[in-house]
Amino acid sequence: NYDYSVCLDAAAGKFDIIFIDPPYRFEYGRAALEKISARGLLSENGIAVYERDRAFEGEIEGLEKYDERKYGKAYLTFFRTAR
């Protein structure tokens, strides 16, 4: 069982899909998105999907929020590399 930060630091290459589903009571998702952006882990058409219990507010440098949907109590927010 690895900490998300260790996994992202060790990731090699680029990914088409990264799904982030931390415990809702923590803000690990924002930190994960920032690290994904800083390390350039998304492929050219890759997406990062962040699940949480409320709408996403704010911005992540280097990423563009392009969609958000609510399913039951969960919000899925979709990000891609800023164009």
Side-chain angles (χ1 to χ4, degrees), residues 46-83:
I47 63 169
V49 182
Y50 179 20
E51 179 182 335
R52 59 191 304 204
D53 62 348
R54 60 193 178 281
F56 183 85
E57 295 179 6
E59 296 181 9
I60 302 293
E61 185 175 339
L63 296 180
E64 171 188 6
K65 176 181 135 179
Y66 70 93
D67 197 4
E68 186 166 68
R69 298 172 186 229
K70 186 173 189 297
Y71 298 97
K73 70 175 186 172
Y75 285 82
L76 297 181
T77 309
F78 298 82
F79 295 88
R80 62 184 166 211
T81 303
R83 302 180 196 271

PDB file of all heavy atoms in Angstrom, residues 46-83:
ATOM      1  N   GLY A  46      -4.881  12.864 -22.590  1.00  0.00           N
ATOM      2  CA  GLY A  46      -5.181  12.237 -21.308  1.00  0.00           C
ATOM      3  C   GLY A  46      -6.113  13.065 -20.444  1.00  0.00           C
ATOM      4  O   GLY A  46      -6.230  14.285 -20.606  1.00  0.00           O
ATOM      5  N   ILE A  47      -6.783  12.378 -19.519  1.00  0.00           N
ATOM      6  CA  ILE A  47      -7.688  13.048 -18.585  1.00  0.00           C
ATOM      7  C   ILE A  47      -7.397  12.582 -17.162  1.00  0.00           C
ATOM      8  O   ILE A  47      -6.963  11.465 -16.935  1.00  0.00           O
ATOM      9  CB  ILE A  47      -9.178  12.806 -18.917  1.00  0.00           C
ATOM     10  CG1 ILE A  47      -9.542  11.331 -18.798  1.00  0.00           C
ATOM     11  CG2 ILE A  47      -9.528  13.336 -20.284  1.00  0.00           C
ATOM     12  CD1 ILE A  47     -11.030  11.055 -18.844  1.00  0.00           C
ATOM     13  N   ALA A  48      -7.641  13.481 -16.239  1.00  0.00           N
ATOM     14  CA  ALA A  48      -7.615  13.159 -14.813  1.00  0.00           C
ATOM     15  C   ALA A  48      -9.035  13.363 -14.307  1.00  0.00           C
ATOM     16  O   ALA A  48      -9.654  14.398 -14.576  1.00  0.00           O
ATOM     17  CB  ALA A  48      -6.641  14.055 -14.062  1.00  0.00           C
ATOM     18  N   VAL A  49      -9.557  12.372 -13.612  1.00  0.00           N
ATOM     19  CA  VAL A  49     -10.911  12.429 -13.075  1.00  0.00           C
ATOM     20  C   VAL A  49     -10.788  12.459 -11.554  1.00  0.00           C
ATOM     21  O   VAL A  49     -10.183  11.571 -10.957  1.00  0.00           O
ATOM     22  CB  VAL A  49     -11.751  11.205 -13.507  1.00  0.00           C
ATOM     23  CG1 VAL A  49     -13.173  11.318 -12.978  1.00  0.00           C
ATOM     24  CG2 VAL A  49     -11.735  11.042 -15.016  1.00  0.00           C
ATOM     25  N   TYR A  50     -11.361  13.483 -10.946  1.00  0.00           N
ATOM     26  CA  TYR A  50     -11.281  13.679  -9.502  1.00  0.00           C
ATOM     27  C   TYR A  50     -12.674  13.503  -8.911  1.00  0.00           C
ATOM     28  O   TYR A  50     -13.591  14.229  -9.257  1.00  0.00           O
ATOM     29  CB  TYR A  50     -10.737  15.078  -9.225  1.00  0.00           C
ATOM     30  CG  TYR A  50     -10.601  15.481  -7.782  1.00  0.00           C
ATOM     31  CD1 TYR A  50     -10.550  14.559  -6.752  1.00  0.00           C
ATOM     32  CD2 TYR A  50     -10.510  16.821  -7.447  1.00  0.00           C
ATOM     33  CE1 TYR A  50     -10.405  14.963  -5.437  1.00  0.00           C
ATOM     34  CE2 TYR A  50     -10.370  17.238  -6.134  1.00  0.00           C
ATOM     35  CZ  TYR A  50     -10.315  16.304  -5.130  1.00  0.00           C
ATOM     36  OH  TYR A  50     -10.188  16.712  -3.828  1.00  0.00           O
ATOM     37  N   GLU A  51     -12.812  12.509  -8.045  1.00  0.00           N
ATOM     38  CA  GLU A  51     -14.092  12.264  -7.378  1.00  0.00           C
ATOM     39  C   GLU A  51     -14.061  12.858  -5.980  1.00  0.00           C
ATOM     40  O   GLU A  51     -13.114  12.672  -5.232  1.00  0.00           O
ATOM     41  CB  GLU A  51     -14.384  10.765  -7.273  1.00  0.00           C
ATOM     42  CG  GLU A  51     -15.697  10.496  -6.571  1.00  0.00           C
ATOM     43  CD  GLU A  51     -16.025   9.023  -6.400  1.00  0.00           C
ATOM     44  OE1 GLU A  51     -15.535   8.207  -7.187  1.00  0.00           O
ATOM     45  OE2 GLU A  51     -16.777   8.710  -5.463  1.00  0.00           O
ATOM     46  N   ARG A  52     -15.143  13.560  -5.643  1.00  0.00           N
ATOM     47  CA  ARG A  52     -15.286  14.122  -4.291  1.00  0.00           C
ATOM     48  C   ARG A  52     -16.758  14.359  -3.997  1.00  0.00           C
ATOM     49  O   ARG A  52     -17.610  14.136  -4.847  1.00  0.00           O
ATOM     50  CB  ARG A  52     -14.460  15.394  -4.147  1.00  0.00           C
ATOM     51  CG  ARG A  52     -14.836  16.489  -5.127  1.00  0.00           C
ATOM     52  CD  ARG A  52     -13.855  17.610  -5.130  1.00  0.00           C
ATOM     53  NE  ARG A  52     -13.702  18.144  -3.787  1.00  0.00           N
ATOM     54  CZ  ARG A  52     -13.305  19.352  -3.503  1.00  0.00           C
ATOM     55  NH1 ARG A  52     -12.998  20.188  -4.459  1.00  0.00           N
ATOM     56  NH2 ARG A  52     -13.201  19.770  -2.279  1.00  0.00           N
ATOM     57  N   ASP A  53     -17.061  14.857  -2.810  1.00  0.00           N
ATOM     58  CA  ASP A  53     -18.457  15.010  -2.389  1.00  0.00           C
ATOM     59  C   ASP A  53     -19.021  16.403  -2.608  1.00  0.00           C
ATOM     60  O   ASP A  53     -20.113  16.718  -2.164  1.00  0.00           O
ATOM     61  CB  ASP A  53     -18.615  14.610  -0.919  1.00  0.00           C
ATOM     62  CG  ASP A  53     -17.816  15.480   0.026  1.00  0.00           C
ATOM     63  OD1 ASP A  53     -16.953  16.256  -0.444  1.00  0.00           O
ATOM     64  OD2 ASP A  53     -18.039  15.379   1.240  1.00  0.00           O
ATOM     65  N   ARG A  54     -18.293  17.252  -3.316  1.00  0.00           N
ATOM     66  CA  ARG A  54     -18.769  18.603  -3.624  1.00  0.00           C
ATOM     67  C   ARG A  54     -18.109  19.071  -4.916  1.00  0.00           C
ATOM     68  O   ARG A  54     -17.108  18.501  -5.344  1.00  0.00           O
ATOM     69  CB  ARG A  54     -18.495  19.562  -2.479  1.00  0.00           C
ATOM     70  CG  ARG A  54     -17.045  19.713  -2.112  1.00  0.00           C
ATOM     71  CD  ARG A  54     -16.875  20.436  -0.771  1.00  0.00           C
ATOM     72  NE  ARG A  54     -15.501  20.555  -0.369  1.00  0.00           N
ATOM     73  CZ  ARG A  54     -14.779  19.596   0.185  1.00  0.00           C
ATOM     74  NH1 ARG A  54     -15.302  18.411   0.399  1.00  0.00           N
ATOM     75  NH2 ARG A  54     -13.538  19.809   0.540  1.00  0.00           N
ATOM     76  N   ALA A  55     -18.677  20.113  -5.487  1.00  0.00           N
ATOM     77  CA  ALA A  55     -18.126  20.648  -6.732  1.00  0.00           C
ATOM     78  C   ALA A  55     -16.705  21.157  -6.506  1.00  0.00           C
ATOM     79  O   ALA A  55     -16.357  21.622  -5.415  1.00  0.00           O
ATOM     80  CB  ALA A  55     -19.026  21.768  -7.249  1.00  0.00           C
ATOM     81  N   PHE A  56     -15.889  21.069  -7.530  1.00  0.00           N
ATOM     82  CA  PHE A  56     -14.512  21.544  -7.454  1.00  0.00           C
ATOM     83  C   PHE A  56     -14.496  23.054  -7.617  1.00  0.00           C
ATOM     84  O   PHE A  56     -15.141  23.595  -8.515  1.00  0.00           O
ATOM     85  CB  PHE A  56     -13.659  20.899  -8.550  1.00  0.00           C
ATOM     86  CG  PHE A  56     -12.221  21.292  -8.477  1.00  0.00           C
ATOM     87  CD1 PHE A  56     -11.357  20.610  -7.654  1.00  0.00           C
ATOM     88  CD2 PHE A  56     -11.742  22.354  -9.214  1.00  0.00           C
ATOM     89  CE1 PHE A  56     -10.026  20.976  -7.565  1.00  0.00           C
ATOM     90  CE2 PHE A  56     -10.415  22.734  -9.143  1.00  0.00           C
ATOM     91  CZ  PHE A  56      -9.556  22.041  -8.310  1.00  0.00           C
ATOM     92  N   GLU A  57     -13.762  23.723  -6.761  1.00  0.00           N
ATOM     93  CA  GLU A  57     -13.613  25.177  -6.850  1.00  0.00           C
ATOM     94  C   GLU A  57     -12.145  25.511  -7.033  1.00  0.00           C
ATOM     95  O   GLU A  57     -11.277  24.835  -6.505  1.00  0.00           O
ATOM     96  CB  GLU A  57     -14.145  25.842  -5.584  1.00  0.00           C
ATOM     97  CG  GLU A  57     -15.637  25.655  -5.387  1.00  0.00           C
ATOM     98  CD  GLU A  57     -16.135  26.305  -4.109  1.00  0.00           C
ATOM     99  OE1 GLU A  57     -15.354  26.994  -3.433  1.00  0.00           O
ATOM    100  OE2 GLU A  57     -17.312  26.102  -3.800  1.00  0.00           O
ATOM    101  N   GLY A  58     -11.892  26.562  -7.778  1.00  0.00           N
ATOM    102  CA  GLY A  58     -10.516  26.995  -7.980  1.00  0.00           C
ATOM    103  C   GLY A  58      -9.942  26.451  -9.258  1.00  0.00           C
ATOM    104  O   GLY A  58     -10.660  25.933 -10.120  1.00  0.00           O
ATOM    105  N   GLU A  59      -8.634  26.591  -9.380  1.00  0.00           N
ATOM    106  CA  GLU A  59      -7.920  26.182 -10.581  1.00  0.00           C
ATOM    107  C   GLU A  59      -6.675  25.413 -10.195  1.00  0.00           C
ATOM    108  O   GLU A  59      -6.159  25.553  -9.081  1.00  0.00           O
ATOM    109  CB  GLU A  59      -7.528  27.405 -11.405  1.00  0.00           C
ATOM    110  CG  GLU A  59      -8.716  28.185 -11.928  1.00  0.00           C
ATOM    111  CD  GLU A  59      -8.302  29.382 -12.765  1.00  0.00           C
ATOM    112  OE1 GLU A  59      -7.100  29.521 -13.084  1.00  0.00           O
ATOM    113  OE2 GLU A  59      -9.184  30.177 -13.094  1.00  0.00           O
ATOM    114  N   ILE A  60      -6.190  24.623 -11.137  1.00  0.00           N
ATOM    115  CA  ILE A  60      -4.926  23.919 -10.991  1.00  0.00           C
ATOM    116  C   ILE A  60      -4.032  24.400 -12.131  1.00  0.00           C
ATOM    117  O   ILE A  60      -4.387  24.249 -13.301  1.00  0.00           O
ATOM    118  CB  ILE A  60      -5.110  22.386 -11.084  1.00  0.00           C
ATOM    119  CG1 ILE A  60      -6.089  21.868 -10.027  1.00  0.00           C
ATOM    120  CG2 ILE A  60      -3.762  21.673 -11.000  1.00  0.00           C
ATOM    121  CD1 ILE A  60      -5.612  21.990  -8.599  1.00  0.00           C
ATOM    122  N   GLU A  61      -2.905  24.993 -11.789  1.00  0.00           N
ATOM    123  CA  GLU A  61      -2.008  25.509 -12.820  1.00  0.00           C
ATOM    124  C   GLU A  61      -1.586  24.392 -13.756  1.00  0.00           C
ATOM    125  O   GLU A  61      -1.171  23.314 -13.315  1.00  0.00           O
ATOM    126  CB  GLU A  61      -0.763  26.140 -12.173  1.00  0.00           C
ATOM    127  CG  GLU A  61       0.149  26.791 -13.175  1.00  0.00           C
ATOM    128  CD  GLU A  61       1.320  27.509 -12.533  1.00  0.00           C
ATOM    129  OE1 GLU A  61       1.238  27.852 -11.344  1.00  0.00           O
ATOM    130  OE2 GLU A  61       2.308  27.721 -13.243  1.00  0.00           O
ATOM    131  N   GLY A  62      -1.741  24.631 -15.054  1.00  0.00           N
ATOM    132  CA  GLY A  62      -1.340  23.658 -16.059  1.00  0.00           C
ATOM    133  C   GLY A  62      -2.431  22.690 -16.463  1.00  0.00           C
ATOM    134  O   GLY A  62      -2.271  21.939 -17.413  1.00  0.00           O
ATOM    135  N   LEU A  63      -3.557  22.689 -15.716  1.00  0.00           N
ATOM    136  CA  LEU A  63      -4.688  21.823 -16.053  1.00  0.00           C
ATOM    137  C   LEU A  63      -5.918  22.667 -16.313  1.00  0.00           C
ATOM    138  O   LEU A  63      -6.090  23.732 -15.743  1.00  0.00           O
ATOM    139  CB  LEU A  63      -4.985  20.822 -14.934  1.00  0.00           C
ATOM    140  CG  LEU A  63      -3.911  19.788 -14.624  1.00  0.00           C
ATOM    141  CD1 LEU A  63      -4.377  18.878 -13.490  1.00  0.00           C
ATOM    142  CD2 LEU A  63      -3.544  18.959 -15.852  1.00  0.00           C
ATOM    143  N   GLU A  64      -6.780  22.145 -17.155  1.00  0.00           N
ATOM    144  CA  GLU A  64      -8.039  22.800 -17.487  1.00  0.00           C
ATOM    145  C   GLU A  64      -9.195  21.913 -17.031  1.00  0.00           C
ATOM    146  O   GLU A  64      -9.259  20.746 -17.405  1.00  0.00           O
ATOM    147  CB  GLU A  64      -8.106  22.995 -19.009  1.00  0.00           C
ATOM    148  CG  GLU A  64      -9.418  23.463 -19.520  1.00  0.00           C
ATOM    149  CD  GLU A  64      -9.490  23.452 -21.047  1.00  0.00           C
ATOM    150  OE1 GLU A  64      -8.551  22.967 -21.711  1.00  0.00           O
ATOM    151  OE2 GLU A  64     -10.508  23.921 -21.561  1.00  0.00           O
ATOM    152  N   LYS A  65     -10.067  22.454 -16.210  1.00  0.00           N
ATOM    153  CA  LYS A  65     -11.295  21.750 -15.835  1.00  0.00           C
ATOM    154  C   LYS A  65     -12.255  21.921 -17.008  1.00  0.00           C
ATOM    155  O   LYS A  65     -12.621  23.025 -17.366  1.00  0.00           O
ATOM    156  CB  LYS A  65     -11.895  22.357 -14.564  1.00  0.00           C
ATOM    157  CG  LYS A  65     -13.209  21.759 -14.170  1.00  0.00           C
ATOM    158  CD  LYS A  65     -13.737  22.441 -12.916  1.00  0.00           C
ATOM    159  CE  LYS A  65     -15.192  22.751 -13.087  1.00  0.00           C
ATOM    160  NZ  LYS A  65     -15.768  23.378 -11.905  1.00  0.00           N
ATOM    161  N   TYR A  66     -12.654  20.801 -17.619  1.00  0.00           N
ATOM    162  CA  TYR A  66     -13.506  20.934 -18.792  1.00  0.00           C
ATOM    163  C   TYR A  66     -14.892  20.322 -18.621  1.00  0.00           C
ATOM    164  O   TYR A  66     -15.765  20.534 -19.465  1.00  0.00           O
ATOM    165  CB  TYR A  66     -12.831  20.369 -20.047  1.00  0.00           C
ATOM    166  CG  TYR A  66     -12.685  18.864 -20.064  1.00  0.00           C
ATOM    167  CD1 TYR A  66     -13.657  18.068 -20.653  1.00  0.00           C
ATOM    168  CD2 TYR A  66     -11.582  18.246 -19.510  1.00  0.00           C
ATOM    169  CE1 TYR A  66     -13.523  16.693 -20.685  1.00  0.00           C
ATOM    170  CE2 TYR A  66     -11.440  16.882 -19.533  1.00  0.00           C
ATOM    171  CZ  TYR A  66     -12.414  16.103 -20.120  1.00  0.00           C
ATOM    172  OH  TYR A  66     -12.287  14.747 -20.138  1.00  0.00           O
ATOM    173  N   ASP A  67     -15.131  19.600 -17.524  1.00  0.00           N
ATOM    174  CA  ASP A  67     -16.462  19.035 -17.292  1.00  0.00           C
ATOM    175  C   ASP A  67     -16.585  18.666 -15.820  1.00  0.00           C
ATOM    176  O   ASP A  67     -15.583  18.405 -15.147  1.00  0.00           O
ATOM    177  CB  ASP A  67     -16.675  17.797 -18.163  1.00  0.00           C
ATOM    178  CG  ASP A  67     -18.139  17.381 -18.294  1.00  0.00           C
ATOM    179  OD1 ASP A  67     -19.024  18.093 -17.768  1.00  0.00           O
ATOM    180  OD2 ASP A  67     -18.406  16.343 -18.933  1.00  0.00           O
ATOM    181  N   GLU A  68     -17.811  18.669 -15.359  1.00  0.00           N
ATOM    182  CA  GLU A  68     -18.091  18.223 -13.982  1.00  0.00           C
ATOM    183  C   GLU A  68     -19.506  17.668 -13.972  1.00  0.00           C
ATOM    184  O   GLU A  68     -20.423  18.278 -14.526  1.00  0.00           O
ATOM    185  CB  GLU A  68     -17.948  19.381 -13.003  1.00  0.00           C
ATOM    186  CG  GLU A  68     -18.082  18.948 -11.559  1.00  0.00           C
ATOM    187  CD  GLU A  68     -17.613  20.041 -10.616  1.00  0.00           C
ATOM    188  OE1 GLU A  68     -18.299  21.081 -10.550  1.00  0.00           O
ATOM    189  OE2 GLU A  68     -16.576  19.850  -9.974  1.00  0.00           O
ATOM    190  N   ARG A  69     -19.665  16.507 -13.335  1.00  0.00           N
ATOM    191  CA  ARG A  69     -20.969  15.853 -13.284  1.00  0.00           C
ATOM    192  C   ARG A  69     -21.227  15.331 -11.879  1.00  0.00           C
ATOM    193  O   ARG A  69     -20.308  14.928 -11.187  1.00  0.00           O
ATOM    194  CB  ARG A  69     -21.024  14.699 -14.276  1.00  0.00           C
ATOM    195  CG  ARG A  69     -20.852  15.207 -15.699  1.00  0.00           C
ATOM    196  CD  ARG A  69     -20.717  14.095 -16.671  1.00  0.00           C
ATOM    197  NE  ARG A  69     -20.423  14.673 -17.979  1.00  0.00           N
ATOM    198  CZ  ARG A  69     -21.055  14.341 -19.064  1.00  0.00           C
ATOM    199  NH1 ARG A  69     -22.018  13.449 -19.037  1.00  0.00           N
ATOM    200  NH2 ARG A  69     -20.710  14.890 -20.210  1.00  0.00           N
ATOM    201  N   LYS A  70     -22.506  15.320 -11.509  1.00  0.00           N
ATOM    202  CA  LYS A  70     -22.912  14.837 -10.195  1.00  0.00           C
ATOM    203  C   LYS A  70     -23.654  13.523 -10.357  1.00  0.00           C
ATOM    204  O   LYS A  70     -24.573  13.408 -11.159  1.00  0.00           O
ATOM    205  CB  LYS A  70     -23.812  15.865  -9.505  1.00  0.00           C
ATOM    206  CG  LYS A  70     -24.157  15.501  -8.071  1.00  0.00           C
ATOM    207  CD  LYS A  70     -24.904  16.639  -7.403  1.00  0.00           C
ATOM    208  CE  LYS A  70     -25.075  16.433  -5.933  1.00  0.00           C
ATOM    209  NZ  LYS A  70     -25.840  15.323  -5.504  1.00  0.00           N
ATOM    210  N   TYR A  71     -23.209  12.515  -9.613  1.00  0.00           N
ATOM    211  CA  TYR A  71     -23.839  11.199  -9.586  1.00  0.00           C
ATOM    212  C   TYR A  71     -24.117  10.857  -8.129  1.00  0.00           C
ATOM    213  O   TYR A  71     -23.184  10.577  -7.378  1.00  0.00           O
ATOM    214  CB  TYR A  71     -22.929  10.137 -10.204  1.00  0.00           C
ATOM    215  CG  TYR A  71     -22.624  10.383 -11.662  1.00  0.00           C
ATOM    216  CD1 TYR A  71     -21.442  11.007 -12.047  1.00  0.00           C
ATOM    217  CD2 TYR A  71     -23.521   9.999 -12.653  1.00  0.00           C
ATOM    218  CE1 TYR A  71     -21.160  11.241 -13.389  1.00  0.00           C
ATOM    219  CE2 TYR A  71     -23.252  10.228 -13.994  1.00  0.00           C
ATOM    220  CZ  TYR A  71     -22.069  10.845 -14.347  1.00  0.00           C
ATOM    221  OH  TYR A  71     -21.790  11.077 -15.673  1.00  0.00           O
ATOM    222  N   GLY A  72     -25.382  10.928  -7.728  1.00  0.00           N
ATOM    223  CA  GLY A  72     -25.703  10.707  -6.322  1.00  0.00           C
ATOM    224  C   GLY A  72     -25.030  11.781  -5.494  1.00  0.00           C
ATOM    225  O   GLY A  72     -25.195  12.968  -5.750  1.00  0.00           O
ATOM    226  N   LYS A  73     -24.246  11.378  -4.504  1.00  0.00           N
ATOM    227  CA  LYS A  73     -23.538  12.368  -3.681  1.00  0.00           C
ATOM    228  C   LYS A  73     -22.146  12.688  -4.214  1.00  0.00           C
ATOM    229  O   LYS A  73     -21.468  13.569  -3.700  1.00  0.00           O
ATOM    230  CB  LYS A  73     -23.452  11.902  -2.232  1.00  0.00           C
ATOM    231  CG  LYS A  73     -22.521  10.738  -2.002  1.00  0.00           C
ATOM    232  CD  LYS A  73     -22.411  10.413  -0.528  1.00  0.00           C
ATOM    233  CE  LYS A  73     -21.366   9.328  -0.315  1.00  0.00           C
ATOM    234  NZ  LYS A  73     -21.087   9.095   1.070  1.00  0.00           N
ATOM    235  N   ALA A  74     -21.721  11.987  -5.262  1.00  0.00           N
ATOM    236  CA  ALA A  74     -20.370  12.172  -5.793  1.00  0.00           C
ATOM    237  C   ALA A  74     -20.355  13.151  -6.964  1.00  0.00           C
ATOM    238  O   ALA A  74     -21.242  13.143  -7.810  1.00  0.00           O
ATOM    239  CB  ALA A  74     -19.804  10.840  -6.242  1.00  0.00           C
ATOM    240  N   TYR A  75     -19.327  13.972  -6.986  1.00  0.00           N
ATOM    241  CA  TYR A  75     -19.049  14.856  -8.116  1.00  0.00           C
ATOM    242  C   TYR A  75     -17.814  14.305  -8.822  1.00  0.00           C
ATOM    243  O   TYR A  75     -16.804  14.000  -8.164  1.00  0.00           O
ATOM    244  CB  TYR A  75     -18.733  16.279  -7.656  1.00  0.00           C
ATOM    245  CG  TYR A  75     -19.924  17.060  -7.209  1.00  0.00           C
ATOM    246  CD1 TYR A  75     -20.432  16.917  -5.924  1.00  0.00           C
ATOM    247  CD2 TYR A  75     -20.551  17.965  -8.063  1.00  0.00           C
ATOM    248  CE1 TYR A  75     -21.536  17.648  -5.506  1.00  0.00           C
ATOM    249  CE2 TYR A  75     -21.656  18.695  -7.652  1.00  0.00           C
ATOM    250  CZ  TYR A  75     -22.135  18.531  -6.375  1.00  0.00           C
ATOM    251  OH  TYR A  75     -23.227  19.249  -5.966  1.00  0.00           O
ATOM    252  N   LEU A  76     -17.864  14.193 -10.121  1.00  0.00           N
ATOM    253  CA  LEU A  76     -16.696  13.818 -10.915  1.00  0.00           C
ATOM    254  C   LEU A  76     -16.289  15.045 -11.722  1.00  0.00           C
ATOM    255  O   LEU A  76     -17.089  15.605 -12.474  1.00  0.00           O
ATOM    256  CB  LEU A  76     -17.024  12.673 -11.866  1.00  0.00           C
ATOM    257  CG  LEU A  76     -17.428  11.348 -11.226  1.00  0.00           C
ATOM    258  CD1 LEU A  76     -17.688  10.298 -12.291  1.00  0.00           C
ATOM    259  CD2 LEU A  76     -16.378  10.864 -10.249  1.00  0.00           C
ATOM    260  N   THR A  77     -15.058  15.477 -11.514  1.00  0.00           N
ATOM    261  CA  THR A  77     -14.535  16.645 -12.208  1.00  0.00           C
ATOM    262  C   THR A  77     -13.436  16.172 -13.154  1.00  0.00           C
ATOM    263  O   THR A  77     -12.540  15.427 -12.744  1.00  0.00           O
ATOM    264  CB  THR A  77     -13.979  17.666 -11.199  1.00  0.00           C
ATOM    265  OG1 THR A  77     -14.963  17.911 -10.202  1.00  0.00           O
ATOM    266  CG2 THR A  77     -13.624  18.968 -11.888  1.00  0.00           C
ATOM    267  N   PHE A  78     -13.520  16.601 -14.407  1.00  0.00           N
ATOM    268  CA  PHE A  78     -12.627  16.136 -15.462  1.00  0.00           C
ATOM    269  C   PHE A  78     -11.626  17.234 -15.829  1.00  0.00           C
ATOM    270  O   PHE A  78     -12.021  18.370 -16.090  1.00  0.00           O
ATOM    271  CB  PHE A  78     -13.447  15.742 -16.689  1.00  0.00           C
ATOM    272  CG  PHE A  78     -14.395  14.605 -16.428  1.00  0.00           C
ATOM    273  CD1 PHE A  78     -15.633  14.850 -15.833  1.00  0.00           C
ATOM    274  CD2 PHE A  78     -14.061  13.319 -16.748  1.00  0.00           C
ATOM    275  CE1 PHE A  78     -16.520  13.822 -15.573  1.00  0.00           C
ATOM    276  CE2 PHE A  78     -14.943  12.264 -16.492  1.00  0.00           C
ATOM    277  CZ  PHE A  78     -16.183  12.528 -15.900  1.00  0.00           C
ATOM    278  N   PHE A  79     -10.356  16.850 -15.869  1.00  0.00           N
ATOM    279  CA  PHE A  79      -9.271  17.782 -16.187  1.00  0.00           C
ATOM    280  C   PHE A  79      -8.459  17.247 -17.360  1.00  0.00           C
ATOM    281  O   PHE A  79      -8.328  16.045 -17.543  1.00  0.00           O
ATOM    282  CB  PHE A  79      -8.318  17.933 -14.988  1.00  0.00           C
ATOM    283  CG  PHE A  79      -8.939  18.561 -13.795  1.00  0.00           C
ATOM    284  CD1 PHE A  79      -9.599  17.787 -12.853  1.00  0.00           C
ATOM    285  CD2 PHE A  79      -8.856  19.928 -13.590  1.00  0.00           C
ATOM    286  CE1 PHE A  79     -10.179  18.359 -11.737  1.00  0.00           C
ATOM    287  CE2 PHE A  79      -9.417  20.510 -12.466  1.00  0.00           C
ATOM    288  CZ  PHE A  79     -10.085  19.730 -11.543  1.00  0.00           C
ATOM    289  N   ARG A  80      -7.895  18.164 -18.118  1.00  0.00           N
ATOM    290  CA  ARG A  80      -6.937  17.833 -19.172  1.00  0.00           C
ATOM    291  C   ARG A  80      -5.836  18.882 -19.116  1.00  0.00           C
ATOM    292  O   ARG A  80      -5.975  19.929 -18.464  1.00  0.00           O
ATOM    293  CB  ARG A  80      -7.615  17.806 -20.533  1.00  0.00           C
ATOM    294  CG  ARG A  80      -8.213  19.126 -20.955  1.00  0.00           C
ATOM    295  CD  ARG A  80      -8.946  18.989 -22.271  1.00  0.00           C
ATOM    296  NE  ARG A  80      -9.776  20.157 -22.511  1.00  0.00           N
ATOM    297  CZ  ARG A  80     -10.927  20.139 -23.178  1.00  0.00           C
ATOM    298  NH1 ARG A  80     -11.382  19.009 -23.665  1.00  0.00           N
ATOM    299  NH2 ARG A  80     -11.604  21.219 -23.354  1.00  0.00           N
ATOM    300  N   THR A  81      -4.758  18.605 -19.821  1.00  0.00           N
ATOM    301  CA  THR A  81      -3.670  19.569 -19.880  1.00  0.00           C
ATOM    302  C   THR A  81      -4.177  20.844 -20.508  1.00  0.00           C
ATOM    303  O   THR A  81      -4.886  20.816 -21.522  1.00  0.00           O
ATOM    304  CB  THR A  81      -2.489  18.995 -20.692  1.00  0.00           C
ATOM    305  OG1 THR A  81      -2.076  17.753 -20.095  1.00  0.00           O
ATOM    306  CG2 THR A  81      -1.323  19.961 -20.732  1.00  0.00           C
ATOM    307  N   ALA A  82      -3.859  21.977 -19.897  1.00  0.00           N
ATOM    308  CA  ALA A  82      -4.311  23.277 -20.416  1.00  0.00           C
ATOM    309  C   ALA A  82      -3.754  23.479 -21.810  1.00  0.00           C
ATOM    310  O   ALA A  82      -2.595  23.162 -22.085  1.00  0.00           O
ATOM    311  CB  ALA A  82      -3.848  24.404 -19.485  1.00  0.00           C
ATOM    312  N   ARG A  83      -4.608  23.990 -22.666  1.00  0.00           N
ATOM    313  CA  ARG A  83      -4.213  24.183 -24.083  1.00  0.00           C
ATOM    314  C   ARG A  83      -3.945  25.636 -24.349  1.00  0.00           C
ATOM    315  O   ARG A  83      -4.462  26.517 -23.835  1.00  0.00           O
ATOM    316  CB  ARG A  83      -5.323  23.675 -24.982  1.00  0.00           C
ATOM    317  CG  ARG A  83      -5.598  22.200 -24.697  1.00  0.00           C
ATOM    318  CD  ARG A  83      -6.710  21.653 -25.575  1.00  0.00           C
ATOM    319  NE  ARG A  83      -7.225  20.406 -25.068  1.00  0.00           N
ATOM    320  CZ  ARG A  83      -6.749  19.214 -25.374  1.00  0.00           C
ATOM    321  NH1 ARG A  83      -5.731  19.108 -26.156  1.00  0.00           N
ATOM    322  NH2 ARG A  83      -7.288  18.133 -24.882  1.00  0.00           N
TER     323      ARG A  83
END
